[in-house]
Amino acid sequence: MNIPFPDLTPAMPEVIITAAAVLLLMLELLFKNKAVLALAGVITAGAVLYFLPASMGETFDGMFISDRYSLYFKLIFMVNLVLTILISIKYFQKQDEETGEHYSLLLFATAGMMIMASAKDLIVLYLGLELMALSTYVMAGIRRQNIKSNEAALKYFLLGAFSSALLLYGISLLYGMTTTTDIYAIAEHINEIGSTHAFTAALVLIISAFAFKIAAVPFHMWAPDVYEGAPSPVTAFMSVGPKAAGFAVLGRVLFVAFSEVQADWTAILIAISIATMAAGNILALVQTNIKRMLAYSSVAHAGYALIGIIAGTEQGLNAMMAYMMIYAFMNIGAFAIVILMDRGKDVSDYEGLSKERPVAALLMLIFMFSLTGIPPTAGFIGKFNIFLAAVEAGYTWLVVVAVIFSAMSAYYYLRIVRNMYMREARDRILITRSLTLDFALLITAVMTVLIGVLPSILVR
Amino acid sequence: MTPKIFFTYFAISMTFMSVMVITRRNPVHSVLWMIGLFFHIAAVYLFLNAEFLAAVQIILYAGAIMVLFLFVIMMLNLREEIVAPRFIGEWPIGVALGIAIITMIIHSVFTIQPGPAGEYTIETIQKMTHAKAIGSLLYTKYVFPFEIASLVLLVAVVGAIVLAKKR
Amino acid sequence: MLNYALIPLLPLLAFAVNILFRNVMGRRAHLVALPAVIGSFILSLSALADVQGGTIINQDLYSWIVSGSFRASVGFLIDQLTAVMLIVVTSISMLVHFYSVGYMHDDEGYARFFSYLSLFTFSMLMLVMSNNLLQLYFGWEAVGLCSYLLIGFWYEKKSAADAGKKAFIVNRFGDFGFALGILLIFVSLGTVHYADIFSGVGSLQGSAINIAGFNFDLITLIALLLFCGAVGKSAQMPLHVWLPDAMEGPTPVSALIHAATMVTAGVFMIARFNPVFTLSDTAMAVVAIVGASTSLFAATIALVQNDIKRIIAYSTVSQLGYMVLACGVGAFGAGIFHLFTHAYFKALLFLGAGSVMHAMAGNVDIQKMGGLKKYMPATYWTFLIASLSIAGVPGLAGFFSKDEILWLTYNSGALGKVLWASGTLVAALTAFYSFRIIFVAFHGEFRGTSEDEHHLHESPKVMTIPLILLAVGAVAAGWFGIPEAFGGSNLFARFLAPVVGHPEITGSHLEEMIVVALSIIAALCGIGLAYFFYVARPCVPVILAGLFRRAHSLLWNKYYIDEIYDAILIKPFKWIASYLLARVSDGKIIEGLVNGVPSLIRTFGDRLRNLQSGNLQHYAFGMVAGLFVILTVIFIAVSR
Amino acid sequence: MSYPLLSTLIFLPIFGAIALLMISRSNTALIKWTALLLSILIFGLSVPLFTDFDKTSGSMQFVEKHSWIPAWNINYTLGVDGISVLFVLLSTLLTILCVMVSWNSINDKVKEFYAAVLFTEGAMIGVFCSLDLFLFYIFWEAMLIPMFILIGVWGGPRRVYAAIKFFIYTLIGSLLMLVGIIVLYYNTDKSFDIITMMSANYPYGLQLLLFWAFFAAFAVKVPMFPVHTWLPDAHTEAPTAGSVILAGVLIKMGAYGFLRFSLPIFPEAAKAMSPAMMVLSVIAIIYGGIICLAQTDLKRLIAYSSVSHMGFVTLGIFALNTQGLQGGILQMINHGIVTGALFLCIGMIYDRTHSREIAHYGGAATAMPVYAGMFMIFTLASIGLPGTNGFVGEILILIGGFTVSKILGALAATGVIIGAAYMLWLYQRIFFESGKDFQSRFGAEVPDINTREIFTLVPLVLLVLWIGVYPSTFIDFMVPTVQKLLQRVNEAGMQPGVIQQITEVIK
Amino acid sequence: MVPLSWYICLSAVIFGIGVIGFLVRRNVLIMLMSVELMLNSVNISLIAFSHYLQDLKGQVLVFFVITVAAAEAAIGLAILVALVRNKSVLHTDEITEMKG
């Protein structure tokens, strides 16, 4: 029996990153200073970025596809990875816990996301998703001495397993109706089965599993608890990576496999999107813990990004991708500030920051306004892009709904700004700076403003 | 007729066992019911000409996973479990929701139109043997997911160590 | 052109110097202000001479506001009417300036006072010299401002500040109508320049305007709206309430602004717009009735007041009523004539009163005075002349102008007869209250404290000389208009006729004689009654007041007009402002919504938060329930 | 024009703001002087707009155009016409005064303060110069950030509430406009070019929808009744410079938006809606005026008076005739000058007394005669006394309004009475009555305004009189532009509808 | 021959029981087992489909599902162990440190 060796070029980034992940596991034993691992991670990401442009094409017998779509998401994952590594180092040093595995898990999770983005087959998709999910479960619970961390990991894990069971059930139904798991091949059968309830059920089950990953209502409820309990860098990582990966697969599956039944899933997604924006914003309004607030805000942002998919056009998809990229910068930036603060758990901890730490306050200000979507920040460009696509597709009313919630979101983002600038500090605000953290802040802030001023660098 | 009778038996007993699994007060009992269930499932697999998977089911599930469960249960030494309430306070809601979802799914599965038949007829598989048929697929077409599966397991190992090791 | 432009500009310059270099000028403020106003006076005389010579100037200085078809310029129209007004304004202003040098001598705001006076002179001159409505409006408002500033000159006194504000705001009510009138003229005629208006207004005759479904005669509406302005400025009913209060200002101000010049601007404006007014009989009738009733109404109030300045103020209102009445019956020339004579004798009365107050250390209650005659003879004699003049004693200025009005009123149809009767009655009342002051304040024994008595003195020369000059005016000003019935030539009326025309006389000279005789009798009765009441039988007024207590208190309280306004206008308005709008509409409704929606969302958020119980099974409930709902809905949708 | 004047005007302040942030915190003198000199320099640079502007042309001048975001067909297009040029000048002038008036009153976070002021200036100029709708929106929203900070950080006791209210209020309106902008984009062949839009023809139904979408943003900014309630809070709580910018320029943007977008881009809708707009304006005039009578807070009173005055502005604009439009534009300038000046004045006295309660005052005229005189001039201008700028604007607006509807014109004119009432009453309560009480209430010595403060106010006094006496200098700027605008609006057909019937009734 | 739908129904029922178990049991261990139950039900249907469609992809997927289930069990139990070490509870309604 002849086993052909597959062409690895298109999958080069994945290969590099898995190899690096495994290597990191070994390196961990050699080095006491875990920062080395971080450095290795960054180098890996650099290598991945180097190989990204060249890695176009299909391989693994139609299991894996590397196209512009997946490349863009991989770029987001790399940004996410690098930034997370940069903000991780100091955090874990401060926590005084051994965390060598953290970096290799980051790489594994990223590998999972990349596989998801590139999956051409539902089996690959499922495995990529599990790879990512399992890694993030562990990362969420990596501060095993910390009850909240345990709890976060447990909740994330149980609900995640539950949702992947739903996904699997959906896949199995789909398989039964099409005899295939190939995303592109499924599309060919839709015409025959598109109207059956069984097919609809499969569609709904699959969407709901992805909705869980992107934290869309009503599959979002894990998010606040997990975001709160997980270590801050992991939260930052989770709020961007798995969400982007979820969007990546959602986009591909819906646009490719289910393109024939667009009306069905559009209706579902509209409902989900509105509910997501509503619940995310309303609940963020009443939070006092900043990470919880950011969690709900992350939920709300999923709602906005969904509009890009709802638009159902290429432009909408592009807008959604650009949005995820922008979201990566501004959200990780905000988390970087949270990590920077020695005591930055509560919204009230930011009182008087502008007086004590003007630069940090200014940066946080930029991130908050960007998250609100006020020009000239990247957040505005992201939303604008989405709205542009949605209006073109005829969803003006949905855009109106979105802007109303967007205005509502100003309330809670502004609360942070208010605390920083308009309240006095109760006692001295201590921060722990480090080179890498500063660097991460620099990148995120510069990108947040730069994209806001010169969107051309992002908008194709 | 006979297969239907057999199926009916399996269906009833599997459903019963499943219910036992989720209703037992003592986790150990649950695990034991679960193992019983797994044996039945393996039997069903055999029914469906999937001998290799039936074997895997018993070895891996019944043999490994459930034993892992038992280990953990023993390790955690949960004595008070015997007296604690089994269900959450809002269990009727849960049951209602569960039944609702089953209804929806069963309602929908009746509309399934099976996809086009593939090339692996029972005869082909029997000729190749099941293990070989699956194995050749896994190492050719599905080598990529296979590799990912290895990563999943690796992560599981690493993760389990990271999380469960003592300080 | 320049010499005309200088007439208003000189005072403006004086104002600028005095206000900008207030600290430098200090007590020397009059050194700038006086020459300026004297210069204006001289230039005015030359303007009069020019007009007399037949040169009528109507020229624009520059375009002020130009917008599309709207064009308003700053320019001058110097005709007979303007010339008369120039003389009145500059001469009285000059005398008041002189007088103020003495009167205001010890005041801290000396420079400020003179700068305001200059500003006022400037504004008034701009008003009378204007050749278009907008500039007139400018002057109109600017004199109002000066009036506000000067009434409230002693701003540390609350009553003064209040009075100033009241004057300004009450005037604004009139100005509101006036402004609408201007707008309506522009909208109907497309211009605000006098010449174009007067030549175009004829074409509007008979045209109607529809407002909110009602048809109005256009010209009548325009005339009445313009008249609103006059009602405010010339203190006619029902907007007369500000003028008596305006007496809180320094007395020279009362003389200049609230007697001689500014308050007559309304009359001037009606006269100026005689081509418009005469086209509407309705408007004319309204003007006449308002004038006559104001005149009567104010005179009755003046009967019982004790504040010397207030009596004179009500007398002013009453006399202004006369002038308006004259305009209303088409006797514009007579109105202006009375304006002219009134300027002198009324300024004299005020300045005399000022002189008295100067001696009485600011006390204005005539009941506290008495026998002042012997302490301040110059004041007494000039005051007496003024009183005789206003009472209409033959030969003096007031006699000629008032009788001209009464005669022409009598002459103007059936309504005229009624108005004439009321006018004659007012003549009697005028004589009565004027001489009441003379008898109570100047005759008899001094009723104040001995300390006050000690303080009594005649005013300095700088004050008495203007009095004497004005007395000359109060006597002689009427001689310009001796009617033909008395063998005169009625110079004044003929001089003004090119501008304001002259009503047709239907009655004979005999009728005129009878009318005049009746008014002389009325005046003498008034004086005699005053003598009887306050010299011969001083107890009578007290008894009368006791007998007609209701009537007396009605008059004493000025018919409760202020109280009525307070109750029906000011109080409800304040209630609307502070309760209905501020508290309910803004506070409860709009803000309720603005703050309520977020707090509602917040409450909702708190409720929603409870769903996020922390129990992960509840989260799973959410997921399953969501799944179930989506499935149900979509199944129903698909099966349909 | 060889060098990019408008870009310089926009970005010099913004980069200046960034440069200010680099200066050492402790060196406040350097910060202040840098800010002052920068603002003067910017004003100096903006003077050519005044001198080199071609008053005979109604088209855009000083135009700059560069490709910016080709993917969305967005260009960086700047230019001014007769409507916007004056506002640029007003912005640059008021910024100097803001810097000057804050000289001693801002002692906390000095550099952030001046940076925020300068940043605001840049954004304001950007709003007035943008000829690309996207660019316009960027500036429009960007200016919220520094304003929010200005109000919230250096404001009064309830500053936080006011700042957030201001922000959210305007944000909601702006976002609805954003949707409108996007819809417009697709109906203009995917273009954000304002000039193109001004000559395009949109279906009436679309115009109507977009008109209301834009209205949401502009009406809040103006602010029109009933979305005005942010203004009293924001004005009241903002620091002096913030109030001046708010009153002087920021709320003009709403009315400017009507002129720049609502009228020329949606002419039919504007025409059809003009009665409704006029009614709202008149309500604002009267409502805002009457409510002033109930105010006990100095700044709040002036803030409500702004509502009333801006009612005049919108009335003039929606009268849709030459006098109304010119009056409206001029009145915007006037209001910027006068209300700006009044806020400056209030800031000055507040620095001395630290009280905004009107009831605490009385008798200030004795202690501060120069100040009282200046205040008087602005009060009179606010009342609209002839000879001041307020009169010119108001009379033109009233002519415009009266031409369209007698009743509305007459009702609007009542605003003049009410204006006199509340302003004079205010003046009386601050300045009149016993000067001794005033001194004793606020300590022995309350000094009159100093030279710096006099210099802050003098330019505005001069402008008040200049526009009052010879407004042609300013009106001439806008004549061709307004004519062009009117032509555009008048060419549009009249759409029948319910509004027409309302018009019949109120006419 | 047993119809395909019988298997699918059986699978659906067991899936549902798994869901119910997940929803109502307080004990985290049993919840984990319920998830395993659900996975197994999926496996049944996959193999049934595979059989009836004469295609092996479903069985391949089952293979992977079993692998993942093992990995999940390992991770899940590890998390549980970590949690119980810190705070000896394994009832969901006691693990509510974070909420709201």
Side-chain angles (χ1 to χ4, degrees), chain A residues 168-355:
Chain A
L168 265 182
Y169 203 86
I171 291 175
S172 84
L173 287 178
L174 208 54
Y175 168 71
M177 288 179 283
T178 59
T179 335
T180 181
T181 50
D182 186 297
I183 294 171
Y184 288 76
I186 289 171
E188 294 158 20
H189 298 278
I190 297 285
N191 275 336
E192 306 145 32
I193 56 163
S195 58
T196 61
H197 281 184
F199 171 76
T200 312
L203 175 67
V204 172
L205 285 168
I206 289 173
I207 288 181
S208 66
F210 295 155
F212 177 86
K213 289 291 168 220
I214 64 173
V217 174
F219 310 100
H220 70 290
M221 292 173 92
W222 58 275
D225 290 4
V226 175
Y227 282 25
E228 185 189 344
S232 298
V234 178
T235 311
F237 181 81
M238 280 196 303
S239 65
V240 176
K243 193 186 287 283
F247 272 106
V249 292
L250 193 63
R252 196 186 289 278
V253 169
L254 292 182
F255 275 76
V256 176
F258 298 140
S259 59
E260 291 293 321
V261 289
Q262 193 174 351
D264 289 5
W265 55 257
T266 307
I268 298 172
L269 287 189
I270 287 176
I272 290 183
S273 165
I274 293 176
T276 305
M277 290 187 288
N281 284 314
I282 292 173
L283 280 162
L285 213 58
V286 289
Q287 299 305 322
T288 52
N289 181 304
I290 189 153
K291 278 165 79 181
R292 276 189 96 75
M293 192 210 86
L294 284 171
Y296 281 114
S297 114
S298 154
V299 170
H301 282 279
Y304 303 131
L306 269 178
I307 296 176
I309 294 186
I310 291 168
T313 56
E314 198 189 330
Q315 206 197 340
L317 216 50
N318 285 338
M320 179 271 284
M321 288 149 69
Y323 197 84
M324 290 325 297
M325 179 68 96
I326 290 167
Y327 183 69
F329 285 117
M330 56 193 188
N331 199 44
I332 296 183
F335 272 105
I337 298 284
V338 174
I339 291 166
L340 185 72
M341 306 267 294
D342 281 359
R343 202 165 46 81
K345 211 180 68 185
D346 215 75
V347 174
S348 60
D349 292 335
Y350 292 79
E351 287 173 3
L353 188 65
S354 73
K355 189 144 200 175

Side-chain angles (χ1 to χ4, degrees), chain B residues 38 53-68 153, chain E residues 36 62-71 73:
Chain B
F38 286 163
L53 288 175
V56 171
Q57 175 81 8
I58 290 179
I59 296 165
L60 217 122
Y61 256 128
I65 302 180
M66 283 304 120
V67 171
L68 184 61
L153 289 172
Chain E
E36 300 290 347
V62 170
F63 179 79
F64 291 127
V65 172
I66 294 176
T67 319
V68 170

Side-chain angles (χ1 to χ4, degrees), chain B residues 78-93:
Chain B
L78 304 159
R79 211 168 283 147
E80 74 278 18
E81 189 63 22
I82 313 299
V83 287
R86 271 175 279 184
F87 305 114
I88 60 164
E90 301 83 359
W91 67 267
I93 304 176

Side-chain angles (χ1 to χ4, degrees), chain C residues 22 62-70 134 137-138 141 145 148-149 155-156 158 161-162 165 168-169 172-173 176 180 183-184 186-187 209 211-212 573 576-578 581-582 585-586 590-591 594-595, chain D residues 161 165 169 226 228-229 233 287 290-291 294 304 322-323 326 365-366 369 376 380 383 385-387 391 396 399 402 406-407 410 413-414 416-417 421 424-425 428 432-433 435 468-471 475 507:
Chain C
R22 180 154 57 167
Y62 74 97
S63 288
W64 179 23
I65 306 178
V66 182
S67 171
S69 61
F70 180 80
L134 217 63
Y137 190 73
F138 163 76
E141 291 287 323
L145 165 70
Y148 165 75
L149 291 173
Y155 56 79
E156 297 206 347
K158 183 168 169 16
D162 280 341
K165 188 185 66 183
F168 198 90
I169 292 170
R172 274 261 157 165
F173 275 92
F176 165 68
L180 288 185
L183 293 176
L184 199 54
F186 174 73
V187 171
I209 182 172
I211 294 174
F573 225 73
I576 289 175
S578 60
L581 296 192
S585 168
D586 244 33
I590 298 177
E591 285 291 83
V594 168
N595 294 326
Chain D
Y161 170 75
K165 191 168 174 182
Y169 233 123
H228 62 277
T229 53
D233 286 312
Y287 187 99
I290 294 179
I291 218 164
Y304 271 113
T322 313
Q323 288 86 17
Q326 293 186 352
T366 313
M376 174 53 87
L380 296 174
I383 292 173
L385 197 85
F391 174 71
L396 287 178
I399 289 172
F402 201 74
K406 306 282 177 291
I407 289 201
T414 58
V416 177
I417 304 179
L424 290 183
W425 191 30
Q428 180 187 351
F432 292 162
E433 296 173 31
V469 174
Y470 193 70
I475 294 181
K507 248 182 187 161

